[in-house]
Each structure stands twice: as C-alpha cells, then as structure tokens.
Amino acid sequence: MEKLKIMGGQPLNGTISISGAKNAALPLLAATLLTDQPVALGNVPALADIDSMVSLLTELGAEIEPVKTLSTMAHGPDIGRCYEITAATLSGSEATYDLVRKMRASVLVLGPLLARTGAARVSLPGGCAIGNRPVDLHVKGLAALGAEVTLAGGYIEARAPACGYLTGGRVVFPLVSVGATENIMMAATLARGQTTMVNAAREPEIVDLANCLRAMGAQVSGDGTDTIIIDGVEQLHGCSHQVIADRIETGTFAIAAALTGGTLTLAGGRADLIETVIDLLRQAGVAIDVGHQGLTVSAPAGGLQGVDVMTEPYPGFPTDLQAQIMVLMAVANGAAMVTETIFENRFMHVPELARMGANINVHQSSAMVRGVPQLTGAQVMATDLRASVSLVLAGLVAGGETEINRVYHLDRGYECLVEKLRAVGADIARHSGGDDADNGGPIACPHH
Ligand code: EPZ
C-alpha cells in the first residue's frame, strides 16, 4: 500500500550515482544458466525485477550468493550489488506462469535452458500495459536453430531435436527485437556450427551481454551492429562481469535536471550510450557537459524549446524515455510531436499528465504536445514502469503537491529513486496508503 507525495518547485542540484542497467542485468542473469561454473556479476541494481529473476534462477536450481566485490573490477565505481551465480545442476527447466506474468523478461531463460539442457518450458508472458508483447520472434529464432517448439496451454515447450543439441542457422528478424536477439544469441553459443542473426537489435545491453558471453568462452562477433555471428562451442566457463550503467536512468535524471532548473552530475552515466538523447536535449536548449566521470546537465537559461521526438530501435531515441521526454515538452515553449513507433499502447501517461494540466492530443501513434507555463500537482496513477517515472518528473516541476499511487511499478526499474532525488533537493517522500494491493513495499536501498 505505497504511494509517493511530491511537493513541486525544488530545483535539483548535486550528484546522482547511476546504477547498473536493469535491461542488461536481466539477460546477464539468464546467461549464467549456460555454464555449470560460477559467474560473478557486479553493479547489479537493487530492483524488484532483478529479485524476480534471481528467484526464477533459484527455482531452476542455480545457487546464488551475494558477494562483496568483484575480484576484477572491469571499470567504473564498485557500486551496486555483486552476485556469484552457479548453475551447476539444474533441477528444472520450467518458468511457471506465476513467475513470468510478474516479469516478462523471464522469457529470457528460454534460450539458455534449451541450449544447456535440451529442453525448456516457459510460460507465455502475456501482454502488459504497453502492448500485447508477443514472443513469436523468440520462437521462430529457436526453431531456426533446430529446436522443436510448440505452444500449448499458455506455455512455450521447446526441445532440442533427436540429436540432442541445437545446430547453428540463419535467423532473419522481420523487425528489431531486443529480447529475441538476446534469447537466440544465448542459445547459439552452445549450438553446433555457425549462427548468423540478421536485423539483430543493436542496443548497448546486447553488447554488454556479448561481452559477458565472450568472457565465458563464447565466440560472438558483430554485436552492436545489425548482423551478429556466433560460432557454437562445446561448453562455456565462468567469468566476472560488471553490468553497464543504466542509460535509461541516466536519461531520466538528465530530464529531471532540465525540468527543475538545477544542475545534476550523473556519476557513472555513459554519454556514449545516449547520444541521440543528448542531441535532442541540446536542441531543446539543455546544457550538457560530458566528462570522464559522467555527464553534467543544467536547465537552459533561456527556457526549454519544444522539439519533435520519434522513438526508434537503438541508436535512435529510446522508447523507454518517451514518457519522460514528453514531460519536458509539456512545459517547453512551443509544440512537439512525440511519435511512438515501438509499442502499440505506450501513451498511458498522457491522461495522467493531462490531469496535471498538460496540453497533449494523441492521434494513433503520435502525441501533439503544446507547452504550458506550469503543471499543477494532482493525485495520479502509475500504469507501467516508465509512465510512473514520468509522473514523478511532472510532480517535481508542478506547482503544489502530487500524489502517485501504485508506486510498485517504480520499484521494478529505478533503484533508490526517492533516496537519490531527496539527496539532490527534491521534496519527495514515500507513504503507506494508496489504493494498490501491497506489493511487498520498497526494495532496501543499498546505497543510502
Ligand atoms: C526490451 O523489451 C526492454 N526490456 C524494454 O524495456 C524496451 O522497451 C524494449 O526492449 C525496446 O527497446 C528488457 O530489456 C527487459 P522488443 P523487449 O522485443 O525485448 C515486438 C522497460 O521499461 N515483438 O525489442 O520485450 C514487440 O511487441 C522495458 O525497461 C514482436 O512482435 O522488446 C514490440 O512492438 C519496457 N515479437 C517490438 O517488437 C516478438 O517476438 C520491440 O520489442 C518480440 C517483440
């Protein structure tokens, strides 16, 4: 029964440490199933989704130990949680509906389980607030590696062919899919022969996963481009790997600085992972300095300018920052057309922002945002992870108090959000109460 209360108007000033990327840590955790040796992962963010994946790996038979620090620090500060995961003997190869419905990324264990054990039974994730989220490309990709895949009773049942192992193949994705690229890449590392993946996703989280797979002995090349080539090997071994910084968290806090009129240094933030975002923010008038410790973002002296935004697969503008940039445009001078090309229903934040006085008109996959002088605080409802944080951003800049219900969405993807914002001057606090079922309350914040 958790909600957030925010009193708007405080400029944010100071330094925020950027956590490890949720969308890198989730596939990295799934990849540990590919070997019976220990894999140490550092800079793992403290998030509900991570806890869900850890529970799933444990249910599958992996042993997971929190460890103090990584033996070899790849780069950057030693923050976040470190785990050592050993999937020596897998007691199961099934991800049940109850687990998968809570966290769609559980489908990422499909490829590793199939490659390691020759069989996998994973619940179809089902849709979520932002779209029906099919997994047909995951299924087709695994079938191209020789797997026999059937959909029965809401489950994906996959097994290796009679020979007992997957064989390399050519996988051409009709559209760019991050998860399908990750699933097939992991499965292909243990397939016999070469796999070529065409029209693969190019996200930094894919490159981070490929770096970890190579450290485990996999032969992967082309990651970060639209063609990835993998030569299967007999088996993989353990490694130490540090999760890359979260580019979506970095973009979110950069927008927070631009909105509230302050200056934030985002320590550990990787400007090279959000070049499109930085270009767009600079067009809107935001001052951004890139240093070796991260990036420093200040609100524009002359006010914000509306700029059109279109979400695209990496390196285009990320869909996971669409709700957040819309808040910036809602209080900018002029108008901005925000077009969502990745998901079919990712404007749930619009009606909530409208309740705070935003002037936004949605027409199919585009939203025309006309800047208003100020938003006003209101009671609002979080609907999905990134929509939730856009309501926090709106509350930070609105006049008066904003109350956000269903904050469990936030706990899925933002480590220590309230603590990080309070530390740079935000008037924000978490309260019990609110209208959602108790979702286990906040994750303990390891840094504060
Ligand atoms: C990943 O989801 C991210 N999640 C999402 O972040 C992110 O929004 C998305 O990539 C796009 O960048 C994780 O990495 C855990 P997709 P994913 O497969 O892999 C369609 C967040 O807020 N599609 O790239 O599920 C799909 O419906 C989350 O952190 C198929 O049609 O996204 C969508 O329209 C939200 N068939 C498009 O492709 C498939 O088999 C892109 O989806 C798979 C996807």
Side-chain angles (χ1 to χ4, degrees):
M1 301 288 274
E2 300 276 317
K3 57 185 173 183
L4 292 184
K5 283 188 180 177
I6 305 169
M7 188 57 76
Q10 309 294 331
L12 302 185
N13 288 294
T15 297
I16 292 180
S17 291
I18 297 300
S19 301
K22 165 179 82 83
N23 292 349
L26 290 170
L28 287 166
L29 284 164
T32 64
L33 295 170
L34 288 165
T35 177
D36 58 3
Q37 301 298 308
V39 176
L41 291 179
N43 199 25
V44 178
L47 300 170
D49 273 12
I50 298 298
D51 290 351
S52 301
M53 181 61 87
V54 167
S55 310
L56 172 53
L57 296 181
T58 307
E59 276 208 21
L60 293 170
E63 284 174 21
I64 301 179
E65 295 293 322
V67 295
K68 278 275 168 276
T69 59
L70 275 185
S71 50
T72 53
M73 193 43 58
H75 51 75
D78 173 16
I79 56 172
R81 296 184 293 188
C82 301
Y83 287 107
E84 186 167 84
I85 302 108
T86 311
T89 49
L90 293 176
S91 54
S93 58
E94 174 168 331
T96 62
Y97 175 65
D98 189 44
L99 266 168
V100 177
R101 72 181 175 80
K102 273 187 214 147
M103 211 263 305
R104 311 178 25 74
S106 312
V107 74
L108 292 172
V109 303
L110 181 60
L113 278 177
L114 181 59
R116 173 83 188 280
T117 69
R121 187 168 187 269
V122 175
S123 168
L124 279 164
C128 74
I130 63 176
N132 70 12
R133 310 291 294 276
V135 289
D136 56 314
L137 301 182
H138 299 242
V139 171
K140 282 181 192 145
L142 293 172
L145 303 186
E148 290 150 16
V149 191
T150 53
L151 303 183
Y155 276 77
I156 304 167
E157 311 215 349
R159 57 181 58 256
C163 58
Y165 47 79
L166 300 176
T167 49
R170 183 176 171 80
V171 182
V172 181
F173 292 108
L175 59 93
V176 174
S177 162
V178 171
T181 300
E182 290 165 345
N183 239 333
I184 304 318
M185 191 161 83
M186 290 188 281
T189 58
L190 294 177
R192 301 279 174 96
Q194 186 173 83
T195 295
T196 302
M197 299 163 66
V198 179
N199 199 23
R202 300 166 53 188
E203 270 68 5
E205 294 75 30
I206 306 263
V207 175
D208 201 37
L209 175 61
N211 285 333
C212 183
L213 291 170
R214 278 187 284 266
M216 294 166 72
Q219 294 182 22
V220 184
S221 60
D223 44 291
T225 76
D226 61 5
T227 303
I228 298 176
I229 295 182
I230 296 151
D231 290 298
V233 294
E234 276 293 303
Q235 61 183 18
L236 297 180
H237 51 71
C239 75
S240 268
H241 181 81
Q242 174 143 323
V243 179
I244 52 166
D246 193 318
R247 62 193 169 97
I248 303 304
E249 186 191 23
T250 306
T252 301
F253 286 128
I255 292 168
L259 269 172
T260 60
T263 297
L264 286 180
T265 293
L266 306 178
R270 291 269 306 271
D272 60 316
L273 304 184
I274 52 168
E275 288 179 323
T276 316
V277 179
I278 289 174
D279 289 348
L280 191 131
L281 289 174
R282 282 176 171 156
Q283 285 175 54
V286 180
I288 301 179
D289 292 320
V290 177
H292 63 282
Q293 281 301 333
L295 50 156
T296 298
V297 184
S298 306
L304 291 159
Q305 299 308 316
V307 180
D308 292 347
V309 183
M310 179 177 282
T311 65
E312 289 172 303
Y314 194 86
F317 191 91
T319 174
D320 292 348
L321 279 173
Q322 178 257 103
Q324 297 93 312
I325 200 77
M326 192 180 278
V327 179
L328 195 68
M329 297 304 145
V331 293
N333 296 312
M337 175 76 88
V338 179
T339 303
E340 171 58 55
T341 71
I342 308 292
F343 290 108
E344 63 267 32
N345 185 33
R346 203 170 197 175
F347 284 143
M348 258 89 52
H349 42 287
V350 170
E352 298 304 311
L353 293 175
R355 298 188 62 242
M356 298 177 72
N359 179 348
I360 306 172
N361 289 299
V362 172
H363 183 66
Q364 293 176 340
S365 63
S366 287
M368 174 52 79
V369 185
R370 291 183 176 83
V372 296
Q374 191 177 38
L375 299 176
T376 49
Q379 278 191 319
V380 289
M381 181 77 71
T383 51
D384 65 273
L385 168 57
R386 307 302 175 180
S388 318
V389 86
S390 76
L391 300 178
V392 172
L393 293 175
L396 291 172
V397 74
E401 183 177 80
T402 297
E403 184 179 290
I404 303 174
N405 286 293
R406 298 189 179 178
V407 289
Y408 59 86
H409 289 294
L410 281 171
D411 296 333
R412 294 190 47 203
Y414 287 91
E415 181 180 63
C416 306
L417 181 69
V418 171
E419 293 82 358
K420 288 184 177 183
L421 286 172
R422 288 172 68 91
V424 291
D427 181 346
I428 180 171
R430 198 177 181 115
H431 296 269
S432 59
D435 71 348
D436 54 293
D438 186 350
N439 281 274
I443 306 284
C445 177
H447 309 301
H448 294 79

PDB file of all heavy atoms in Angstrom, residues 46-74:
ATOM      1  N   ALA A  46      19.519  -2.907  -7.400  1.00  0.00           N
ATOM      2  CA  ALA A  46      18.571  -3.470  -6.413  1.00  0.00           C
ATOM      3  C   ALA A  46      17.156  -3.144  -6.890  1.00  0.00           C
ATOM      4  O   ALA A  46      16.624  -2.056  -6.611  1.00  0.00           O
ATOM      5  CB  ALA A  46      18.829  -2.854  -5.038  1.00  0.00           C
ATOM      6  N   LEU A  47      16.556  -4.051  -7.616  1.00  0.00           N
ATOM      7  CA  LEU A  47      15.246  -3.806  -8.226  1.00  0.00           C
ATOM      8  C   LEU A  47      14.351  -5.029  -8.062  1.00  0.00           C
ATOM      9  O   LEU A  47      14.832  -6.169  -8.005  1.00  0.00           O
ATOM     10  CB  LEU A  47      15.416  -3.551  -9.734  1.00  0.00           C
ATOM     11  CG  LEU A  47      16.273  -2.365 -10.160  1.00  0.00           C
ATOM     12  CD1 LEU A  47      16.520  -2.421 -11.655  1.00  0.00           C
ATOM     13  CD2 LEU A  47      15.591  -1.069  -9.753  1.00  0.00           C
ATOM     14  N   ALA A  48      13.052  -4.783  -8.080  1.00  0.00           N
ATOM     15  CA  ALA A  48      12.102  -5.898  -7.953  1.00  0.00           C
ATOM     16  C   ALA A  48      12.269  -6.887  -9.110  1.00  0.00           C
ATOM     17  O   ALA A  48      12.235  -8.106  -8.904  1.00  0.00           O
ATOM     18  CB  ALA A  48      10.675  -5.345  -7.918  1.00  0.00           C
ATOM     19  N   ASP A  49      12.487  -6.366 -10.315  1.00  0.00           N
ATOM     20  CA  ASP A  49      12.644  -7.284 -11.461  1.00  0.00           C
ATOM     21  C   ASP A  49      13.875  -8.178 -11.302  1.00  0.00           C
ATOM     22  O   ASP A  49      13.857  -9.344 -11.697  1.00  0.00           O
ATOM     23  CB  ASP A  49      12.763  -6.489 -12.773  1.00  0.00           C
ATOM     24  CG  ASP A  49      11.398  -6.175 -13.366  1.00  0.00           C
ATOM     25  OD1 ASP A  49      10.392  -6.372 -12.643  1.00  0.00           O
ATOM     26  OD2 ASP A  49      11.314  -5.753 -14.534  1.00  0.00           O
ATOM     27  N   ILE A  50      14.928  -7.646 -10.729  1.00  0.00           N
ATOM     28  CA  ILE A  50      16.145  -8.439 -10.509  1.00  0.00           C
ATOM     29  C   ILE A  50      15.843  -9.534  -9.482  1.00  0.00           C
ATOM     30  O   ILE A  50      16.189 -10.705  -9.675  1.00  0.00           O
ATOM     31  CB  ILE A  50      17.303  -7.557 -10.029  1.00  0.00           C
ATOM     32  CG1 ILE A  50      17.666  -6.515 -11.084  1.00  0.00           C
ATOM     33  CG2 ILE A  50      18.513  -8.410  -9.657  1.00  0.00           C
ATOM     34  CD1 ILE A  50      18.146  -7.052 -12.406  1.00  0.00           C
ATOM     35  N   ASP A  51      15.131  -9.161  -8.430  1.00  0.00           N
ATOM     36  CA  ASP A  51      14.759 -10.153  -7.412  1.00  0.00           C
ATOM     37  C   ASP A  51      13.901 -11.258  -8.034  1.00  0.00           C
ATOM     38  O   ASP A  51      14.060 -12.436  -7.707  1.00  0.00           O
ATOM     39  CB  ASP A  51      13.994  -9.481  -6.264  1.00  0.00           C
ATOM     40  CG  ASP A  51      14.903  -8.576  -5.432  1.00  0.00           C
ATOM     41  OD1 ASP A  51      16.139  -8.620  -5.651  1.00  0.00           O
ATOM     42  OD2 ASP A  51      14.383  -7.809  -4.605  1.00  0.00           O
ATOM     43  N   SER A  52      13.019 -10.873  -8.959  1.00  0.00           N
ATOM     44  CA  SER A  52      12.179 -11.896  -9.626  1.00  0.00           C
ATOM     45  C   SER A  52      13.047 -12.852 -10.439  1.00  0.00           C
ATOM     46  O   SER A  52      12.850 -14.068 -10.409  1.00  0.00           O
ATOM     47  CB  SER A  52      11.170 -11.218 -10.560  1.00  0.00           C
ATOM     48  OG  SER A  52      10.337 -10.341  -9.864  1.00  0.00           O
ATOM     49  N   MET A  53      14.017 -12.311 -11.155  1.00  0.00           N
ATOM     50  CA  MET A  53      14.886 -13.168 -11.982  1.00  0.00           C
ATOM     51  C   MET A  53      15.739 -14.066 -11.075  1.00  0.00           C
ATOM     52  O   MET A  53      15.920 -15.256 -11.356  1.00  0.00           O
ATOM     53  CB  MET A  53      15.769 -12.325 -12.895  1.00  0.00           C
ATOM     54  CG  MET A  53      16.681 -13.114 -13.813  1.00  0.00           C
ATOM     55  SD  MET A  53      15.823 -14.196 -14.975  1.00  0.00           S
ATOM     56  CE  MET A  53      15.544 -13.052 -16.342  1.00  0.00           C
ATOM     57  N   VAL A  54      16.235 -13.514  -9.967  1.00  0.00           N
ATOM     58  CA  VAL A  54      17.035 -14.306  -9.026  1.00  0.00           C
ATOM     59  C   VAL A  54      16.186 -15.452  -8.471  1.00  0.00           C
ATOM     60  O   VAL A  54      16.639 -16.599  -8.391  1.00  0.00           O
ATOM     61  CB  VAL A  54      17.589 -13.409  -7.900  1.00  0.00           C
ATOM     62  CG1 VAL A  54      18.143 -14.232  -6.745  1.00  0.00           C
ATOM     63  CG2 VAL A  54      18.684 -12.487  -8.452  1.00  0.00           C
ATOM     64  N   SER A  55      14.907 -15.171  -8.158  1.00  0.00           N
ATOM     65  CA  SER A  55      14.014 -16.240  -7.657  1.00  0.00           C
ATOM     66  C   SER A  55      13.829 -17.318  -8.724  1.00  0.00           C
ATOM     67  O   SER A  55      13.872 -18.519  -8.422  1.00  0.00           O
ATOM     68  CB  SER A  55      12.620 -15.686  -7.324  1.00  0.00           C
ATOM     69  OG  SER A  55      12.718 -14.564  -6.531  1.00  0.00           O
ATOM     70  N   LEU A  56      13.687 -16.885  -9.970  1.00  0.00           N
ATOM     71  CA  LEU A  56      13.485 -17.866 -11.052  1.00  0.00           C
ATOM     72  C   LEU A  56      14.724 -18.746 -11.199  1.00  0.00           C
ATOM     73  O   LEU A  56      14.627 -19.978 -11.265  1.00  0.00           O
ATOM     74  CB  LEU A  56      13.190 -17.140 -12.366  1.00  0.00           C
ATOM     75  CG  LEU A  56      13.127 -17.980 -13.632  1.00  0.00           C
ATOM     76  CD1 LEU A  56      12.165 -19.153 -13.486  1.00  0.00           C
ATOM     77  CD2 LEU A  56      12.732 -17.122 -14.825  1.00  0.00           C
ATOM     78  N   LEU A  57      15.908 -18.159 -11.193  1.00  0.00           N
ATOM     79  CA  LEU A  57      17.143 -18.941 -11.337  1.00  0.00           C
ATOM     80  C   LEU A  57      17.287 -19.923 -10.175  1.00  0.00           C
ATOM     81  O   LEU A  57      17.678 -21.076 -10.352  1.00  0.00           O
ATOM     82  CB  LEU A  57      18.360 -18.023 -11.398  1.00  0.00           C
ATOM     83  CG  LEU A  57      18.453 -17.059 -12.589  1.00  0.00           C
ATOM     84  CD1 LEU A  57      19.730 -16.248 -12.514  1.00  0.00           C
ATOM     85  CD2 LEU A  57      18.373 -17.797 -13.913  1.00  0.00           C
ATOM     86  N   THR A  58      16.914 -19.460  -8.979  1.00  0.00           N
ATOM     87  CA  THR A  58      16.988 -20.335  -7.800  1.00  0.00           C
ATOM     88  C   THR A  58      16.033 -21.513  -7.963  1.00  0.00           C
ATOM     89  O   THR A  58      16.386 -22.667  -7.726  1.00  0.00           O
ATOM     90  CB  THR A  58      16.647 -19.522  -6.533  1.00  0.00           C
ATOM     91  OG1 THR A  58      17.482 -18.362  -6.495  1.00  0.00           O
ATOM     92  CG2 THR A  58      16.857 -20.356  -5.284  1.00  0.00           C
ATOM     93  N   GLU A  59      14.816 -21.210  -8.450  1.00  0.00           N
ATOM     94  CA  GLU A  59      13.831 -22.290  -8.672  1.00  0.00           C
ATOM     95  C   GLU A  59      14.337 -23.304  -9.688  1.00  0.00           C
ATOM     96  O   GLU A  59      14.031 -24.492  -9.619  1.00  0.00           O
ATOM     97  CB  GLU A  59      12.517 -21.692  -9.181  1.00  0.00           C
ATOM     98  CG  GLU A  59      11.633 -21.192  -8.081  1.00  0.00           C
ATOM     99  CD  GLU A  59      10.144 -21.233  -8.461  1.00  0.00           C
ATOM    100  OE1 GLU A  59       9.761 -21.974  -9.380  1.00  0.00           O
ATOM    101  OE2 GLU A  59       9.403 -20.500  -7.814  1.00  0.00           O
ATOM    102  N   LEU A  60      15.130 -22.823 -10.625  1.00  0.00           N
ATOM    103  CA  LEU A  60      15.663 -23.721 -11.671  1.00  0.00           C
ATOM    104  C   LEU A  60      16.857 -24.519 -11.155  1.00  0.00           C
ATOM    105  O   LEU A  60      17.360 -25.412 -11.836  1.00  0.00           O
ATOM    106  CB  LEU A  60      16.059 -22.912 -12.907  1.00  0.00           C
ATOM    107  CG  LEU A  60      14.893 -22.253 -13.662  1.00  0.00           C
ATOM    108  CD1 LEU A  60      15.415 -21.272 -14.716  1.00  0.00           C
ATOM    109  CD2 LEU A  60      14.003 -23.313 -14.311  1.00  0.00           C
ATOM    110  N   GLY A  61      17.346 -24.189  -9.945  1.00  0.00           N
ATOM    111  CA  GLY A  61      18.427 -24.986  -9.358  1.00  0.00           C
ATOM    112  C   GLY A  61      19.750 -24.261  -9.232  1.00  0.00           C
ATOM    113  O   GLY A  61      20.729 -24.819  -8.741  1.00  0.00           O
ATOM    114  N   ALA A  62      19.802 -23.001  -9.657  1.00  0.00           N
ATOM    115  CA  ALA A  62      21.075 -22.266  -9.547  1.00  0.00           C
ATOM    116  C   ALA A  62      21.303 -21.868  -8.093  1.00  0.00           C
ATOM    117  O   ALA A  62      20.351 -21.671  -7.331  1.00  0.00           O
ATOM    118  CB  ALA A  62      21.030 -21.014 -10.421  1.00  0.00           C
ATOM    119  N   GLU A  63      22.582 -21.785  -7.713  1.00  0.00           N
ATOM    120  CA  GLU A  63      22.930 -21.261  -6.381  1.00  0.00           C
ATOM    121  C   GLU A  63      23.401 -19.818  -6.557  1.00  0.00           C
ATOM    122  O   GLU A  63      24.249 -19.540  -7.417  1.00  0.00           O
ATOM    123  CB  GLU A  63      24.043 -22.114  -5.766  1.00  0.00           C
ATOM    124  CG  GLU A  63      23.503 -23.447  -5.241  1.00  0.00           C
ATOM    125  CD  GLU A  63      24.626 -24.353  -4.763  1.00  0.00           C
ATOM    126  OE1 GLU A  63      25.722 -23.807  -4.463  1.00  0.00           O
ATOM    127  OE2 GLU A  63      24.413 -25.568  -4.744  1.00  0.00           O
ATOM    128  N   ILE A  64      22.829 -18.929  -5.736  1.00  0.00           N
ATOM    129  CA  ILE A  64      23.141 -17.510  -5.898  1.00  0.00           C
ATOM    130  C   ILE A  64      23.630 -16.940  -4.573  1.00  0.00           C
ATOM    131  O   ILE A  64      22.934 -17.003  -3.576  1.00  0.00           O
ATOM    132  CB  ILE A  64      21.894 -16.757  -6.404  1.00  0.00           C
ATOM    133  CG1 ILE A  64      21.466 -17.381  -7.733  1.00  0.00           C
ATOM    134  CG2 ILE A  64      22.195 -15.269  -6.580  1.00  0.00           C
ATOM    135  CD1 ILE A  64      20.259 -16.810  -8.372  1.00  0.00           C
ATOM    136  N   GLU A  65      24.872 -16.475  -4.579  1.00  0.00           N
ATOM    137  CA  GLU A  65      25.476 -15.920  -3.363  1.00  0.00           C
ATOM    138  C   GLU A  65      25.769 -14.436  -3.564  1.00  0.00           C
ATOM    139  O   GLU A  65      26.456 -14.083  -4.530  1.00  0.00           O
ATOM    140  CB  GLU A  65      26.828 -16.623  -3.099  1.00  0.00           C
ATOM    141  CG  GLU A  65      26.719 -18.111  -2.780  1.00  0.00           C
ATOM    142  CD  GLU A  65      26.033 -18.345  -1.451  1.00  0.00           C
ATOM    143  OE1 GLU A  65      26.276 -17.548  -0.519  1.00  0.00           O
ATOM    144  OE2 GLU A  65      25.209 -19.273  -1.369  1.00  0.00           O
ATOM    145  N   PRO A  66      25.291 -13.568  -2.667  1.00  0.00           N
ATOM    146  CA  PRO A  66      25.775 -12.180  -2.741  1.00  0.00           C
ATOM    147  C   PRO A  66      27.254 -12.188  -2.365  1.00  0.00           C
ATOM    148  O   PRO A  66      27.645 -12.896  -1.435  1.00  0.00           O
ATOM    149  CB  PRO A  66      24.952 -11.453  -1.671  1.00  0.00           C
ATOM    150  CG  PRO A  66      23.891 -12.416  -1.236  1.00  0.00           C
ATOM    151  CD  PRO A  66      24.352 -13.803  -1.570  1.00  0.00           C
ATOM    152  N   VAL A  67      28.065 -11.465  -3.104  1.00  0.00           N
ATOM    153  CA  VAL A  67      29.487 -11.398  -2.756  1.00  0.00           C
ATOM    154  C   VAL A  67      29.861  -9.940  -2.538  1.00  0.00           C
ATOM    155  O   VAL A  67      29.142  -9.029  -2.941  1.00  0.00           O
ATOM    156  CB  VAL A  67      30.389 -12.006  -3.864  1.00  0.00           C
ATOM    157  CG1 VAL A  67      30.106 -13.489  -3.995  1.00  0.00           C
ATOM    158  CG2 VAL A  67      30.145 -11.307  -5.196  1.00  0.00           C
ATOM    159  N   LYS A  68      31.009  -9.729  -1.871  1.00  0.00           N
ATOM    160  CA  LYS A  68      31.374  -8.351  -1.505  1.00  0.00           C
ATOM    161  C   LYS A  68      31.686  -7.528  -2.752  1.00  0.00           C
ATOM    162  O   LYS A  68      30.947  -6.648  -3.136  1.00  0.00           O
ATOM    163  CB  LYS A  68      32.599  -8.380  -0.576  1.00  0.00           C
ATOM    164  CG  LYS A  68      32.176  -8.671   0.855  1.00  0.00           C
ATOM    165  CD  LYS A  68      31.745  -7.375   1.585  1.00  0.00           C
ATOM    166  CE  LYS A  68      31.041  -7.663   2.904  1.00  0.00           C
ATOM    167  NZ  LYS A  68      29.609  -7.933   2.667  1.00  0.00           N
ATOM    168  N   THR A  69      32.766  -7.852  -3.415  1.00  0.00           N
ATOM    169  CA  THR A  69      33.054  -7.066  -4.634  1.00  0.00           C
ATOM    170  C   THR A  69      33.557  -8.031  -5.711  1.00  0.00           C
ATOM    171  O   THR A  69      33.950  -9.139  -5.424  1.00  0.00           O
ATOM    172  CB  THR A  69      34.209  -6.059  -4.382  1.00  0.00           C
ATOM    173  OG1 THR A  69      35.348  -6.825  -3.978  1.00  0.00           O
ATOM    174  CG2 THR A  69      33.831  -5.043  -3.329  1.00  0.00           C
ATOM    175  N   LEU A  70      33.534  -7.576  -6.896  1.00  0.00           N
ATOM    176  CA  LEU A  70      34.058  -8.397  -7.998  1.00  0.00           C
ATOM    177  C   LEU A  70      35.572  -8.510  -7.868  1.00  0.00           C
ATOM    178  O   LEU A  70      36.243  -7.526  -7.592  1.00  0.00           O
ATOM    179  CB  LEU A  70      33.737  -7.725  -9.337  1.00  0.00           C
ATOM    180  CG  LEU A  70      32.382  -8.014  -9.935  1.00  0.00           C
ATOM    181  CD1 LEU A  70      32.293  -7.362 -11.301  1.00  0.00           C
ATOM    182  CD2 LEU A  70      32.153  -9.513 -10.052  1.00  0.00           C
ATOM    183  N   SER A  71      36.105  -9.670  -8.116  1.00  0.00           N
ATOM    184  CA  SER A  71      37.577  -9.833  -7.996  1.00  0.00           C
ATOM    185  C   SER A  71      38.257  -8.887  -8.980  1.00  0.00           C
ATOM    186  O   SER A  71      39.122  -8.136  -8.650  1.00  0.00           O
ATOM    187  CB  SER A  71      37.955 -11.279  -8.309  1.00  0.00           C
ATOM    188  OG  SER A  71      37.328 -11.639  -9.531  1.00  0.00           O
ATOM    189  N   THR A  72      37.787  -8.866 -10.212  1.00  0.00           N
ATOM    190  CA  THR A  72      38.445  -7.949 -11.175  1.00  0.00           C
ATOM    191  C   THR A  72      37.422  -6.860 -11.513  1.00  0.00           C
ATOM    192  O   THR A  72      36.391  -7.140 -12.102  1.00  0.00           O
ATOM    193  CB  THR A  72      38.757  -8.697 -12.478  1.00  0.00           C
ATOM    194  OG1 THR A  72      37.535  -9.295 -12.905  1.00  0.00           O
ATOM    195  CG2 THR A  72      39.781  -9.800 -12.228  1.00  0.00           C
ATOM    196  N   MET A  73      37.720  -5.648 -11.113  1.00  0.00           N
ATOM    197  CA  MET A  73      36.755  -4.583 -11.376  1.00  0.00           C
ATOM    198  C   MET A  73      36.896  -4.128 -12.827  1.00  0.00           C
ATOM    199  O   MET A  73      37.895  -3.555 -13.205  1.00  0.00           O
ATOM    200  CB  MET A  73      37.019  -3.418 -10.414  1.00  0.00           C
ATOM    201  CG  MET A  73      35.903  -2.398 -10.370  1.00  0.00           C
ATOM    202  SD  MET A  73      34.264  -3.124 -10.317  1.00  0.00           S
ATOM    203  CE  MET A  73      34.399  -4.106  -8.833  1.00  0.00           C
ATOM    204  N   ALA A  74      35.908  -4.435 -13.606  1.00  0.00           N
ATOM    205  CA  ALA A  74      36.016  -4.149 -15.054  1.00  0.00           C
ATOM    206  C   ALA A  74      36.240  -2.649 -15.265  1.00  0.00           C
ATOM    207  O   ALA A  74      37.207  -2.236 -15.854  1.00  0.00           O
ATOM    208  CB  ALA A  74      34.738  -4.598 -15.754  1.00  0.00           C
TER     209      ALA A  74
END
